[in-house]
C-alpha cells in the first residue's frame, strides 16, 4: 500500500470526489464501521415489581425493576447488543457512611445479576464497582472527618463489592472509582476466590467532568453529593499524559479492558491510549452527552439518528473498540433498518 505521504498526481488526474459520487463507492472505501457488537447498554435498576420510572433529565431513559429489566435484556439480546451494564438505584434507608450495602450478597445489583444470568445467560452482564450509590454523602469512597475520600479503606470495600458481583455471576466488573491500586487488589481477590474468568473493565481515565449530572440524578446520588465534587480522585480535564500513566498502571495490575469517560470531549485520549497500548479500549458516551443530543433533537434542531450515529462512528474512528451508550437499543434498531 502506498505511504500516505506519497505525492499524488495533481488535479484533474486525481479527483477525490470520484469515490464520493455514489453510495457503492463510498461504502467500498469506508474506513470505520459500526455494528451492534460495538455497544454496551447501561441500565438503571430499582427495587420493587413492575416498577418503571422516567429519568427527567434523560428523556427516553427509565429506571426499571428487575422483572422489567429482564424483559429489556431479552430485547437487547435480540438486537445483538452483547453487554448490559447495571447501575443500581439504592434506597436512602440502606445508604451509610461505610457503604456496606455495596457488598450485600442480596443487594439490588447482586439480585439483578443473578436474575439476568438466569433469564438471558448469553447476554454479558457488567457491574459498576463504586460506592457513590451506597454512601450517604454521594462520594465514591469512605471519607475521613475532614471529608477527604480515603484510598486504601475504600479499596477494601471495593474488593468486597467486586467479589460479591462475581459470585452473583457478573461477567465483567468495572471499577469506576479512580482509587489508586484498586485494580490489582480486585484482581488478586477474584483469583483467590476462584473467579479467574471474571473480566475487569477499568475506568482508567475517568475525568472530573461536568457531563455527569443526569446520571447522578438517575441513580439518586446527586442530592447526597450536593455542592461537593470529586476533584481529589477523578482526573483533571486538562490532563492527557496522566491518563497514559493511569492506563499503564491498570493494565499492569490486571485490567482486561480500559475505559475513557466521558466520550466525545475526550477522543484525543482514546486515540493516545489505543496507539500506545493496543489494549481493548472503550469509551463512555455519558449522560450529559446523551441529554444534549436528545434535547436538541426533541427541539427539532438536530436529526437525532444522524447525529447519534455520527457520534458513535467518531468514537470508533478515534480507536474505541466499544461504546457504552444510553442510545444502544436505538442504534441497534437503526443499524438494522
Amino acid at each position: 500500500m502506498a505511504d500516505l505521504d506519497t505525492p499524488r498526481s495533481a488535479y484533474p488526474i486525481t479527483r477525490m470526489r470520484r469515490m464520493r459520487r455514489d453510495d457503492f463507492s463510498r461504502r467500498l472505501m469506508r474506513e470505520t464501521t459500526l455494528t451492534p457488537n460495538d455497544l454496551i447498554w447501561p441500565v438503571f435498576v430499582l427495587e420493587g415489581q413492575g416498577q418503571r420510572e422516567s429519568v427527567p433529565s434523560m428523556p427516553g431513559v427509565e429506571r426499571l425493576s428487575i422483572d422489567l429489566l429482564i424483559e429489556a435484556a431479552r430485547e437487547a439480546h435480540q438486537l445483538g447488543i452483547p453487554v448490559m451494564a447495571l447501575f443500581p438505584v439504592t434506597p436512602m434507608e440502606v445508604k451509610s457512611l461505610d457503604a456496606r450495602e455495596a457488598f450485600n450478597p442480596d443487594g439490588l445489583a447482586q439480585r439483578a445479576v443473578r436474575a439476568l444470568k438466569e433469564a438471558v445467560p448469553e447476554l454479558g452482564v457488567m457491574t459498576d464497582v463504586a460506592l457513590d450509590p451506597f454512601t450517604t454523602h454521594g462520594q465514591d469512597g469512605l471519607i475521613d472527618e475532614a471529608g477527604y475520600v480515603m484510598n486504601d479503606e475504600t479499596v477494601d470495600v471495593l474488593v468486597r463489592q467486586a467479589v460479591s458481583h462475581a459470585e452473583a455471576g457478573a461477567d465483567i466488573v468495572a471499577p469506576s472509582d479512580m482509587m489508586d491500586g484498586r485494580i490489582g487488589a480486585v484482581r488478586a481477590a477474584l483469583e483467590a476466590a476462584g473467579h479467574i474468568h471474571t473480566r475487569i473493565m477499568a475506568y482508567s481515565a475517568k475525568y472530573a467532568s461536568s457531563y455527569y449530572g443526569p446520571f447522578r440524578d438517575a441513580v439518586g446520588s446527586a442530592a447526597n453529593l450536593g455542592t461537593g465534587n470529586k476533584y481529589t480522585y477523578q482526573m483533571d480535564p486538562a490532563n492527557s499524559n496522566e491518563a497514559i500513566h493511569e492506563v499503564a498502571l491498570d493494565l499492569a495490575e490486571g485490567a482486561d479492558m480500559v475505559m475513557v469517560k466521558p466520550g466525545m470531549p475526550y477522543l484525543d485520549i482514546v486515540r493516545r491510549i489505543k496507539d500506545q497500548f493496543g489494549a481493548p479500549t472503550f469509551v463512555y458516551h455519558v449522560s450529559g452527552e446523551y441529554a444534549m443530543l436528545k434535547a436538541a433533537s426533541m427541539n427539532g434542531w438536530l436529526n437525532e439518528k444522524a447525529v447519534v450515529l455520527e457520534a458513535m462512528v467518531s468514537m470508533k474512528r478515534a480507536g474505541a473498540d466499544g461504546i457504552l451508550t444510553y442510545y444502544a437499543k436505538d442504534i441497534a434498531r437503526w443499524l438494522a433498518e
Side-chain angles (χ1 to χ4, degrees), residues 32-56:
T32 304
T33 57
L34 177 71
T35 77
N37 293 331
D38 299 314
L39 305 173
I40 299 173
W41 183 37
V43 291
F44 301 107
V45 57
L46 77 169
E47 293 284 7
Q49 287 282 320
Q51 298 298 306
R52 184 189 302 271
E53 297 177 352
S54 297
V55 180

Side-chain angles (χ1 to χ4, degrees), residues 150-163:
M150 301 180 289
N151 193 91
D152 296 2
E153 293 84 350
T154 295
V155 169
D156 290 342
V157 182
L158 294 171
V159 166
R160 298 181 70 177
Q161 182 184 23
V163 171

Side-chain angles (χ1 to χ4, degrees), residues 129-145:
V129 177
L131 304 186
D132 51 324
F134 307 98
T135 57
T136 50
H137 43 71
Q139 295 288 356
D140 290 35
L142 309 186
I143 60 173
D144 62 17
E145 293 180 357

